[in-house]
Each structure stands twice: as C-alpha cells, then as structure tokens.
C-alpha cells in the first residue's frame, strides 16, 4: 500500500515523531574529482523538517520535544520509517531515536 503525497509540507508528524531528510553526501572531492554513487557514503546527518507536538506522560502532560524544525541532527544508520515523495526521500523517527543535535 502506497500513499501519494503531493508535497512533504502536507505531512504533519504526530506525538513524538520527527520528520527528517538526510543530508546528501558530496559528489565531488576537494580536488574536483566526481565520485560515482557506489563510492558515496550515506551520511547520518539530517535536517529536521517538522516535529510533532510531543508524547504524553502518564499524568496527561505533554513531554517537550528535544529538537525543532530547522535543526541539524545525527540519526541512526538504520531505522525510522521511510517516506518517498516524488524523487525525494524522507524519514520519520521518534524523538528518543535521534542521537544528537548538531550546534553550528
């Protein structure tokens, strides 16, 4: 079963889920040599596009999210729920699955 989305902006994460897009690896070295796709390594760095409102604790209070839209984060090599819109690939992760926030 596949769902066709017109735009990724129409997707709003629920509870403690975070919508991210992996940062693409450089296709060219510092010396100007172009690398084939088979030689490019998939990065664990991603850009946060959207964040859910947060999960609820046992008392019914909302647990704040640790990231916000626009943050750069480190994500696990595997996991998450993949989403494809057109040619672009995105992933949904739970807030507690995100490894670190990158401060620049």
């Amino acid at each position: 079963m596949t769902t066709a989305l017109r735009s990724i902006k129409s997707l709003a994460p629920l509870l403690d889920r975070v919508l991210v897009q992996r940062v693409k690896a450089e296709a060219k070295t510092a010396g100007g040599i172009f690398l084939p796709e088979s030689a490019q390594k998939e990065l664990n760095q991603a850009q946060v596009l959207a964040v859910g409102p947060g999960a609820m604790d046992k008392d019914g209070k909302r647990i704040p999210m640790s990231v916000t839209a626009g943050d750069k984060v480190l994500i696990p090599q595997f996991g998450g729920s993949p989403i494809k819109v057109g040619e672009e690939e995105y992933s949904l992760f739970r807030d507690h699955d995100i490894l670190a926030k990158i401060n620049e």
Side-chain angles (χ1 to χ4, degrees):
M1 179 172 114
T2 60
T3 303
L5 295 173
R6 296 183 195 277
S7 168
I8 197 65
K9 294 187 189 285
S10 65
L11 189 67
L14 299 176
L15 297 175
D16 64 339
R17 289 181 177 79
V18 179
L19 179 66
V20 300
Q21 183 175 27
R22 284 187 189 267
V23 174
K24 302 231 186 307
E26 290 292 323
K28 190 165 93 172
T29 65
I33 299 171
F34 286 96
L35 299 171
E37 280 190 35
S38 60
Q40 294 176 18
K41 192 173 171 188
E42 191 171 283
L43 299 176
N44 289 3
Q45 190 178 27
Q47 182 80 26
V48 176
L49 301 177
V51 177
M56 303 291 260
D57 66 9
K58 64 180 180 176
D59 298 325
K61 294 180 185 158
R62 186 91 43 200
I63 300 170
M65 299 291 282
S66 59
V67 295
T68 58
D71 287 345
K72 286 190 177 181
V73 294
L74 288 179
I75 55 176
Q77 183 78 25
F78 303 103
S81 299
I83 300 168
K84 192 164 185 175
V85 177
E87 294 298 314
E88 296 291 323
E89 293 185 16
Y90 305 92
S91 296
L92 271 173
F93 284 93
R94 289 196 176 266
D95 186 42
H96 66 269
D97 288 337
I98 294 180
L99 304 175
K101 187 172 166 180
I102 300 171
N103 297 322
E104 295 181 304

